[in-house]
Amino acid sequence: KAGVTQTPRYLIKTRGQQVTLSCSPISGHRSVSWYQQTPGQGLQFLFEYFSETQRNKGNFPGRFSGRQFSNSRSEMNVSTLELGDSALYLCASRSGRARYPYQETQYFGPGTRLLVL
Amino acid sequence: GIQVEQSPPDLILQEGANSTLRCNFSDSVNNLQWFHQNPWGQLINLFYIPSGTKQNGRLSATTVATERYSLLYISSSQTTDSGVYFCAARSGNTPLVFGKGTRLSVIA
């Protein structure tokens, strides 16, 4: 099976612009989560989607938004970019077993490195 | 929400040495995972271990849920083990919360 893919891998934008990042989960996975990783704040949760519905949202301003499509692919959008949005954005899809013994494995994509100038 | 703390923050080992990384969490969890992030940024899931002990080659992990901690053991370390090790936990259907990680450097 192909792993989680993210596009683009690298991106340079200027303040005030907007950006859209894409994530394709592993085939058959319906859950997609997004994380922001910075040296100062570490890995912070952005959103989680399951079957096109947002299940959880992290503590980020409204400039950060996301969605999931019927084929489980997900996009996140950041509007009005700020310098502090420079980060590695990671997407993960989740496999799990709903019945005992419960098991969950999170698979991460390679990330999108965003630099805001 | 749940708090996850990892120690030590940094660790330097000679190749062949063993190490123990610790993860403390502030509340009962139904999900605890260990990850390794390589120098290129790729995060790899190592263990799903909300309780008990698991082993995979030179790596093993133990979670004592009643005392709210988990340990990751690395034996006979190799330079390819270098990177950052993260512990992440969740309670119920809340988001997975990551610790700040332990940066491991294995020197030949």
Side-chain angles (χ1 to χ4, degrees):
Chain A
K1 271 186 181 179
V4 178
T5 59
Q6 292 188 244
T7 56
R9 293 291 311 278
Y10 303 92
L11 207 47
I12 300 175
K13 292 284 189 179
T14 56
R15 278 181 299 174
Q17 287 187 306
Q18 75 161 18
V19 66
T20 299
L21 311 181
S22 180
C23 170
S24 292
I26 290 172
S27 177
H29 290 188
R30 291 188 291 166
S31 169
V32 172
S33 299
W34 288 90
Y35 297 84
Q36 181 196 65
Q37 186 176 26
T38 59
Q41 299 298 318
L43 270 154
Q44 292 189 287
F45 171 77
L46 280 158
F47 336 92
E48 180 183 9
Y49 288 90
F50 182 85
S51 294
E52 301 179 69
T53 300
Q54 187 178 88
R55 292 178 95 178
N56 284 299
K57 187 177 190 306
N59 190 22
F60 278 81
R63 300 184 297 107
F64 291 81
S65 62
R67 59 178 173 168
Q68 187 179 31
F69 302 96
S70 58
N71 62 358
S72 294
R73 191 177 70 85
S74 178
E75 287 182 348
M76 67 163 281
N77 187 348
V78 188
S79 63
T80 319
L81 284 166
E82 301 178 358
L83 296 179
D85 297 333
S86 295
L88 176 66
Y89 289 88
L90 292 161
C91 165
S93 73
R94 182 159 58 110
S95 72
R97 183 163 52 215
R99 297 183 178 183
Y100 182 85
Y102 185 73
Q103 171 74 32
E104 173 178 316
T105 302
Q106 202 112 355
Y107 297 89
F108 279 84
T112 295
R113 291 191 184 273
L114 171 65
L115 177 62
V116 181
L117 301 175
Chain B
I2 194 168
Q3 314 278 333
V4 178
E5 292 184 2
Q6 292 185 244
S7 61
D10 295 280
L11 191 55
I12 301 174
L13 296 176
Q14 201 72 34
E15 202 170 26
N18 302 329
S19 62
T20 301
L21 282 56
R22 186 176 179 103
C23 170
N24 293 331
F25 41 94
S26 62
D27 204 349
S28 59
V29 298
N30 59 2
N31 185 333
L32 187 130
Q33 299 180 52
W34 283 95
F35 296 88
H36 174 229
Q37 188 170 39
N38 66 23
W40 295 271
Q42 179 70 56
L43 267 162
I44 305 294
N45 185 289
L46 298 174
F47 294 103
Y48 166 79
I49 187 162
S51 64
T53 298
K54 288 185 179 178
Q55 179 153 8
N56 184 2
R58 295 181 296 102
L59 301 182
S60 64
T62 295
T63 297
V64 183
T66 53
E67 297 188 22
R68 298 183 184 169
Y69 73 87
S70 182
L71 302 174
L72 178 69
Y73 305 97
I74 305 174
S75 64
S76 305
S77 57
Q78 301 175 358
T79 55
T80 52
D81 295 331
S82 296
V84 183
Y85 289 81
F86 289 99
C87 166
R90 80 156 82 189
S91 180
N93 253 335
T94 59
L96 205 58
V97 175
F98 282 75
K100 291 196 179 296
T102 291
R103 182 174 299 276
L104 175 65
S105 299
V106 181
I107 302 168

